[in-house]
Amino acid sequence: MAYPHAVAAPQLADANHDALIIIGDDFSSLADASLSQAISAQQAVDARIGKQVTLLVIDSKRVILAPTGPLNRDYDDVRRYFDAAKQGVLEAKASGSTQPAILLANVNQDSRYKHALEVAYLGACQALWQPLEAREYHGQAIEPVSQISLVGAGEAMSKALNAIAAGQYAARDLCGTEPERMAPPRFADYCVELFAGSKVSVEVISDINTIDKDYPMMSTVARASYAVERHHPRVVKLEYVPEGDVERTLMFVGKGLVYDTGGADLKVGGFMAGMSRDKGGAASVAGFMKSVADFAPKGVKVIAYLAVVRNSIGSDCFVPDEIITCREGVRVRIGNTDAEGRLAMGDLLSEMKDRALNEVNPELFTVATLTGHAARAMGPYSAYVENGPARAANVSRQIADLGDLWADGAEVSRSRREDYDFVKPRTLADDVLSSNNAPSAVTARGHQFPMAFLAIVGGLDKHGTESEKPLPYVHMDIAGSGVEGGDWQHGKPTAATVSSLFARYCL
């Protein structure tokens, strides 16, 4: 992988660097007294220092000061370091640096910033990533920074950070590519290459007849794409089995809509632009698997199914009012063809549920750029909607709390009776409604009720807290957090959930 590798530098003298990026809210009291004096002398003649990113030359070496702004207010969080590092590393890159070092100006004792150095590195990696198509056209020279030394870090920290960075890099590649470069067969090819020679096994299902038979809802979504061979769907199955005993099993289903036209309910008024990023959920799941492959955590088994499909428009596209019998035997009435992600994932979730019954301490997740409501309700945060067993085990809360420490924020939502009422059948001809026909952003509980639908078609409604075999299940909607600034056409993918999942289950 071409991401800038983290290199441990316990002391500043250990750093092999051509630029020093200093991040903090105060640059007046550094451990290196001579460096502090030199900065103070510059500050006397440059009022920008401490207010914006500034490049200094001290003893013929580049020094970049990247201020975080205030850190002591109730609403400040570790993203102050993440954002400062992004600006600092871009200034270092612009100055010609290829091997910068990151130094925190002081160690903030607030527990919110216990991983500030690690987060700063991940922020720098976010800023430096360039789209896969750009690298293929211009060459790797557009990503000239090859390593980042972390002053104060040890080898164990750098190993973990390199695993996270590798996963996030892959997730950005998979999410951020245009619809032909990452059409379903090429998405699958990227995954095969990504995990070649690793501890993660890869199985790709490409036969249309198999997909029609085993995954009827995904087949329905893909139907209009069958006329174009390069758009044919793929199911990608990934599995990591640790050495030694398995203590916990993580089971993911990722939404990989490589392009979402909306289908018969066509996206109009400019809302189709950016829908090549509707594969962000599958991308983040694959990215997490890459982090797992590189780090090889003990005790944790991880299984992931990716529904990689294109929701095309054409004479054979599915339409509202169709009734599809899913893998669970549930009759699904289509409410809106632009609510296709839950259909693509549902049969895979059903299969995953069946596997979960024979796994050790399973926890199930769906990860998807699913609803505009999640973006409207939660802004730039992921939305975690959990069932009863997951709530009882604090699954979402633990991930979200760690996300706050790793610049991967989320809000926790509950699944309630209104969500199940919303998708209940209106006639005896069907068992569940996939969606209403209004935009989710203007629908009450628009990001919560899809989890109820997924629980029903996945068979997880039979595995609640009152059942003989409760199965914790969390639906992760990353529609608001999946790209920078909510700009689905141009914003960089964020690899949302990768670092918080890694922090929760691998560290």
Side-chain angles (χ1 to χ4, degrees), residues 207-264:
D207 180 65
I208 288 176
N209 292 326
T210 300
I211 292 174
D212 287 346
K213 175 178 176 293
D214 294 343
Y215 312 110
M217 288 194 295
M218 179 179 171
S219 165
T220 298
V221 174
R223 202 165 71 199
S225 72
Y226 286 178
V228 182
E229 186 173 359
R230 70 179 187 277
H231 294 164
H232 282 190
R234 296 289 188 269
V235 174
V236 180
K237 297 185 175 183
L238 310 171
E239 184 165 344
Y240 166 79
V241 180
E243 295 181 3
D245 295 337
V246 173
E247 300 170 6
R248 184 196 307 272
T249 307
L250 307 179
M251 312 183 80
F252 293 90
V253 176
K255 173 187 171 183
L257 263 291
V258 302
Y259 205 76
D260 179 21
T261 68

Side-chain angles (χ1 to χ4, degrees), residues 263-281:
D265 286 303
L266 193 68
K267 293 180 184 289
V268 296
F271 289 101
M272 199 185 300
M275 285 300 100
S276 59
R277 271 87 178 284
D278 207 15
K279 55 191 183 300

Side-chain angles (χ1 to χ4, degrees), residues 170-207:
R172 293 185 197 107
D173 273 3
L174 288 166
C175 178
T177 34
E178 57 95 18
E180 292 296 338
R181 174 59 187 88
M182 207 57 82
R186 302 186 77 181
F187 187 109
D189 290 345
Y190 185 103
C191 290
V192 170
E193 182 178 349
L194 181 66
F195 295 106
S198 78
K199 296 181 180 180
V200 170
S201 63
V202 183
E203 177 190 356
V204 177
I205 299 174
S206 58
D207 180 65

Side-chain angles (χ1 to χ4, degrees), residues 427-438:
T427 76
L428 294 178
D430 53 286
D431 300 312
V432 67
L433 180 67
S434 69
S435 71
N436 58 333
N437 55 11

Side-chain angles (χ1 to χ4, degrees), residues 174-175 184 187 191 215 218 221 233-238 250-258 277-289 302-310 340-350 352 363-370 454 473-478 496-497 501:
L174 288 166
C175 178
F187 187 109
C191 290
Y215 312 110
M218 179 179 171
V221 174
R234 296 289 188 269
V235 174
V236 180
K237 297 185 175 183
L238 310 171
L250 307 179
M251 312 183 80
F252 293 90
V253 176
K255 173 187 171 183
L257 263 291
V258 302
R277 271 87 178 284
D278 207 15
K279 55 191 183 300
S284 284
V285 171
F288 176 61
M289 291 296 291
V302 190
I303 306 168
Y305 292 170
L306 311 179
V308 190
V309 61
R310 178 174 170 126
E340 82 300 324
R342 66 203 69 176
L343 303 175
M345 293 189 294
D347 292 322
L348 295 176
L349 183 61
S350 167
M352 194 71 86
E363 295 178 11
L364 292 89
F365 304 86
T366 44
V367 187
T369 52
L370 206 74
L454 282 163
Y473 165 51
V474 177
H475 169 57
M476 298 176 151
D477 192 334
I478 62 170
T497 75
L501 286 169

